[in-house]
């Protein structure tokens, strides 16, 4: 990969990492302000930006796979980094499909969405489609849990690795 192309990708990774950092800070403020819309806006921003990082480092299109390998090697990113897994982020992106599948062939359902601190309420259970626990900074979607701290920490380390290339 030539130096200009490499620099462009490194710069984009730093930009996406900064978006994650800013969104994480805003998330903390939004929780303190009890602003549910702002909380979910920040969560989606973290997921989108970390997903963009993932797509750069682990491209799905075969003609770009070598670029991903080269960038991961340059930045010393473990091939099993938490940033690689886009499963929960994809669930947010394809939420309409999850809803269709949930409501298909059901006569009785309990539906709770955008729950705050769902683990504190035993009555929500499996009816919680999306939830955020501000006490441990975890996200739940259809029973799967994503620790946002792990995402933010991995992105911060990536940002440091990127910036070290420019010094």
């Amino acid at each position: 990969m030539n130096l200009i192309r490499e620099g462009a990708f490194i710069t984009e990774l730093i930009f996406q990492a900064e978006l994650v950092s800013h969104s994480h800070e805003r998330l903390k403020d939004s929780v303190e302000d009890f602003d549910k819309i702002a909380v979910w806006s920040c969560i989606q921003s973290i997921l989108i930006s970390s997903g963009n990082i993932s797509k750069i480092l682990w491209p799905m299109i075969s003609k770009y796979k070598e670029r991903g390998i080269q960038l991961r090697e340059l930045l010393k990113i473990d091939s099993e980094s938490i940033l690689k897994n886009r499963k929960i982020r994809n669930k947010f992106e394809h939420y309409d499909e999850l809803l269709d599948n949930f409501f298909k062939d059901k006569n009785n359902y309990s539906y709770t969405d955008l729950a705050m601190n769902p683990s504190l309420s035993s009555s929500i259970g499996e009816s919680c489609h999306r939830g955020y626990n501000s006490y441990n900074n975890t996200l739940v979607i259809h029973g799967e849990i994503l620790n946002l701290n792990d995402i933010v920490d991995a992105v911060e380390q990536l940002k440091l690795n990127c910036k070290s290339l420019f010094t």
Side-chain angles (χ1 to χ4, degrees), residues 1 5 9 54-72:
M1 185 177 329
R5 181 173 177 228
F9 279 107
S54 181
K55 289 187 283 188
I56 291 170
L57 296 174
W58 289 274
M60 298 298 293
I61 299 171
S62 61
K63 72 179 183 177
Y64 302 125
K65 287 192 188 254
E66 186 60 33
R67 178 245 299 153
I69 292 168
Q70 290 173 359
L71 286 170
R72 291 193 310 272

Side-chain angles (χ1 to χ4, degrees), residues 43-97:
I43 289 170
Q44 284 205 190
S45 181
I46 291 169
L47 293 175
I48 289 166
S49 295
S50 61
N52 288 342
I53 290 169
S54 181
K55 289 187 283 188
I56 291 170
L57 296 174
W58 289 274
M60 298 298 293
I61 299 171
S62 61
K63 72 179 183 177
Y64 302 125
K65 287 192 188 254
E66 186 60 33
R67 178 245 299 153
I69 292 168
Q70 290 173 359
L71 286 170
R72 291 193 310 272
E73 286 175 1
L74 177 68
L75 296 167
K76 299 173 181 70
I77 303 297
D78 184 348
S79 63
E80 295 306 312
S81 168
I82 191 167
L83 296 172
K84 181 179 181 182
N85 188 341
R86 296 190 286 258
K87 185 177 181 181
I88 290 182
R89 287 166 275 201
N90 288 344
K91 285 186 174 192
F92 269 76
E93 187 175 333
H94 302 284
Y95 192 70
D96 60 317
E97 296 166 17

